[in-house]
Amino acid sequence: MPQTTTGEADRRAGDAAEPSRRPAARLLARVRRTRRAVWLALLVAASAVGVQYVLMTPPLYFDPHYVWLAARSWPDIPLDQWPFYEVPHQVTRLGLVLPARLVMTVLGDGQAAYFTVAALGGVAFFTGTYLVVRALFGDVAGLASAGILLVHPFFTLTNPYGQEITWSTGAVLPDMPGAGLFALGMAALVVASRRAGRVQTRWLVAAGLLMASAFLVREFLAFLFLAIPAYLALLRIPWRRNITVGAPMLGVLILNLVHNQLVWGSPLAGISSAATHGGKSRDYVTRELAARSFLRAMHDWHPLGTVFVVALALTIVGWAVTRDRRLSLVLVWFATLAVPLTVCAGVLDPDDIKLRAWLVRYWFAVMPALLAGGFGSLILLYRTIPPGWTARLRLRLRVAAPALAVALGAAYAVAAVQAVPGLPRDKAWGELRGYLAAHDADIDVLVTDRRLAQTLTFYTKDAWGERTWHGEIRDWPHYSPQIPRTAYEGPMLYTRWRGMESQIGYGWSPSPAEGWHLMWKSTDGILQLWNPPS
């Protein structure tokens, strides 16, 4: 009979237990090996989704709605038919329409898919900001930049049923994803500047793909491509590497042209739609106003927009003092977009506006650069303190600077949160969805203005796109000077607009004095259903 020693028995027992420990050990080892930047990027991404969930802006009308229709109809998007002929520049954006179509295929065409597509754009923007600022000036600056954007009123005041200054977080629009993809491309360029050989090649190819993808989402971001040789020169990447960046960009462009030829019969369908977009603006525009587009966008919509003006000023001062290449990169990034945006906003011809650069969302693509420059300047200026002052002054600053940073950050966060007067979210719309589902057999038709009608299409279905109310929606243009006859053909969905939108019929509202009868209203009073006079 074979004999075993105690040591051998222990070893066998350990071997038997080892497989059960291996998965956990491997997971722990992988967590430890994962770079800090990955975990922090995931934290920023989760925060972006969390903020969007807290805001829960309902699916919006006009441009986001038409993008959604195009995605649902792809590849059958007839540009000569309503509503696509009104917004061809929106529905030919391959980088926005195709991802939306893909998400619809998985999640249906309801609110869940809409939320997901909007969230992907937000994740790209906020995470791209963190990564590019981190690549230039470190984790603290990157996290602070992402945090500033996450709670800034430009990205929280987005609900026209509450208070609104722009459409950003939670909207299926090209501005945030386009800006985010370009920021990710710039982060890849910065990382590539610190690599060599094949590793550098991979990062440069990634940068080219990301930047080209940004163009597929937002066409005017192509202006930023003009400075790619300057970006590489400032990052001390060899000149020949421009080809490495440009090759994947050319490949993406070719794929886009082939797609456009197959879908619309013209390879330049997207470019021509963007180029012919514009004309005389409904807003008052002069050359002087157009020249101040950046300052107007940052100042006129909300006082906290001054943060970005201050960041630009800090960047200029920091560059003047330090001549740091990273600050030069930031200023080139800003100027390469700011100049054509300003020119196309009416400097050349106030009666032919190509880009409404006085709107905040047109400047999203330079916000990561501005924050990088602002924080980078503070860091670099701190390092320029003369050696003779360092012994005592730096000791004091090491105590005072973190305390001051925390105080300023807290003050900013409080101001940003207080700027949001309330969070109506989509509570009223959710209640309307339940009411219509419960009265599916009783209500055959609803009438309303076109803005409400387009949002309503999401709430006649559940979150996954299954119909819960099977009636008909009849709408009319919201700019009609009088309430049309169709408004009396069934219950009217009504709201008193609280954002920048105009009221229907120049301020008309249904009234019991005129024979209207209130049949339902949301608990917050935002939405109402009225029966017309009998």
Side-chain angles (χ1 to χ4, degrees), residues 204-226:
L204 292 174
V205 169
L209 290 173
L210 288 165
M211 290 179 175
S213 299
F215 166 75
L216 296 185
V217 179
R218 196 52 153 140
E219 298 86 0
F220 71 67
L221 295 183
F223 288 126
L224 289 165
F225 300 167
L226 299 175

Side-chain angles (χ1 to χ4, degrees), residues 282-356:
R282 290 174 295 178
D283 299 310
Y284 177 68
V285 180
T286 65
R287 286 187 172 88
E288 187 271 335
L289 287 174
R292 294 193 295 109
S293 290
F294 173 71
L295 295 176
R296 291 172 60 201
M298 297 300 109
H299 177 268
D300 291 359
W301 299 100
H302 197 276
L304 282 180
T306 308
V307 168
F308 302 103
V309 179
V310 171
L312 176 59
L314 274 173
T315 305
I316 295 171
V317 171
W319 176 82
V321 172
T322 67
R323 291 296 196 274
D324 190 272
R325 285 174 173 264
R326 292 168 293 180
L327 297 182
S328 300
L329 176 71
V330 166
L331 289 174
V332 170
W333 179 350
F334 173 77
T336 305
L337 188 62
V339 171
L341 272 185
T342 304
V343 169
C344 293
V347 170
L348 291 180
D349 184 358
D351 293 324
D352 186 16
I353 308 300
K354 295 299 184 183
L355 297 169
R356 295 180 295 165

Side-chain angles (χ1 to χ4, degrees), residues 71-132:
R72 192 168 61 193
S73 303
W74 182 89
D76 183 20
I77 308 175
L79 298 182
D80 58 346
Q81 295 182 19
W82 189 88
F84 302 129
Y85 70 75
E86 292 188 350
V87 286
H89 61 291
Q90 292 287 357
V91 301
T92 54
R93 286 171 175 151
L94 189 61
L96 193 58
V97 170
L98 283 189
R101 174 68 181 195
L102 179 62
V103 173
M104 282 185 196
T105 303
V106 178
L107 299 178
D109 66 347
Q111 191 180 1
Y114 186 96
F115 182 95
T116 301
V117 174
L120 290 173
V123 166
F125 180 68
F126 295 115
T127 306
T129 297
Y130 160 68
L131 288 173
V132 72

Side-chain angles (χ1 to χ4, degrees), residues 37 67 122 161 176 196 222 241 258 260 312 352 354 380 428 436 481 522:
V67 170
Y161 306 103
M176 289 181 72
R241 288 299 206 169
V258 171
N260 292 348
L312 176 59
D352 186 16
K354 295 299 184 183
L380 294 171
L436 292 177
S522 60

Side-chain angles (χ1 to χ4, degrees), residues 215-506:
F215 166 75
L216 296 185
V217 179
R218 196 52 153 140
E219 298 86 0
F220 71 67
L221 295 183
F223 288 126
L224 289 165
F225 300 167
L226 299 175
I228 287 178
Y231 304 150
L232 268 64
L234 289 168
L235 292 170
R236 295 182 176 175
I237 298 173
W239 176 261
R240 67 181 184 278
R241 288 299 206 169
N242 279 280
I243 299 174
T244 309
V245 178
M249 297 180 73
L250 180 61
V252 171
L253 176 61
I254 291 173
L255 288 176
N256 183 39
L257 298 177
V258 171
H259 168 273
N260 292 348
Q261 177 64 40
L262 294 175
V263 173
W264 292 297
S266 170
L268 300 179
I271 295 174
S272 61
S273 296
T276 57
H277 174 61
K280 189 172 180 60
S281 175
R282 290 174 295 178
D283 299 310
Y284 177 68
V285 180
T286 65
R287 286 187 172 88
E288 187 271 335
L289 287 174
R292 294 193 295 109
S293 290
F294 173 71
L295 295 176
R296 291 172 60 201
M298 297 300 109
H299 177 268
D300 291 359
W301 299 100
H302 197 276
L304 282 180
T306 308
V307 168
F308 302 103
V309 179
V310 171
L312 176 59
L314 274 173
T315 305
I316 295 171
V317 171
W319 176 82
V321 172
T322 67
R323 291 296 196 274
D324 190 272
R325 285 174 173 264
R326 292 168 293 180
L327 297 182
S328 300
L329 176 71
V330 166
L331 289 174
V332 170
W333 179 350
F334 173 77
T336 305
L337 188 62
V339 171
L341 272 185
T342 304
V343 169
C344 293
V347 170
L348 291 180
D349 184 358
D351 293 324
D352 186 16
I353 308 300
K354 295 299 184 183
L355 297 169
R356 295 180 295 165
W358 56 87
L359 299 181
V360 173
R361 56 193 178 92
Y362 281 69
W363 296 94
F364 287 174
V366 297
M367 288 181 178
L370 295 175
L371 292 173
F375 282 111
S377 294
L378 292 175
I379 293 169
L380 294 171
L381 290 173
Y382 173 76
R383 293 174 181 171
T384 62
I385 297 175
W389 301 359
T390 56
R392 181 174 300 176
L393 188 57
R394 282 202 176 184
L395 180 61
R396 293 177 181 175
L397 284 175
R398 285 174 183 173
V399 177
L404 180 62
V406 170
L408 289 175
Y412 170 80
V414 170
V417 171
Q418 287 180 342
V420 183
L423 284 175
R425 308 180 81 232
D426 72 335
K427 178 182 178 182
W429 288 98
E431 292 174 359
L432 179 61
R433 173 189 279 149
Y435 179 83
L436 292 177
H439 294 80
D440 188 24
D442 307 327
I443 302 176
D444 297 326
V445 64
L446 285 179
V447 295
T448 188
D449 77 81
R450 188 158 295 160
R451 298 164 296 183
L452 290 177
Q454 291 178 353
T455 296
L456 177 59
T457 58
F458 283 89
Y459 293 91
T460 60
K461 302 177 283 189
D462 64 17
W464 310 105
E466 295 294 327
R467 291 293 294 268
T468 57
W469 179 70
H470 298 82
E472 178 188 356
I473 301 173
R474 299 176 187 170
D475 62 56
W476 73 86
H478 68 284
Y479 48 79
S480 297
Q482 294 181 337
I483 303 302
R485 285 175 172 253
T486 55
Y488 296 84
E489 295 175 352
M492 175 191 287
L493 178 62
Y494 171 81
T495 189
R496 182 182 66 79
W497 291 94
R498 294 159 173 80
M500 297 182 293
E501 293 286 352
S502 60
Q503 306 297 330
I504 59 172
Y506 296 118

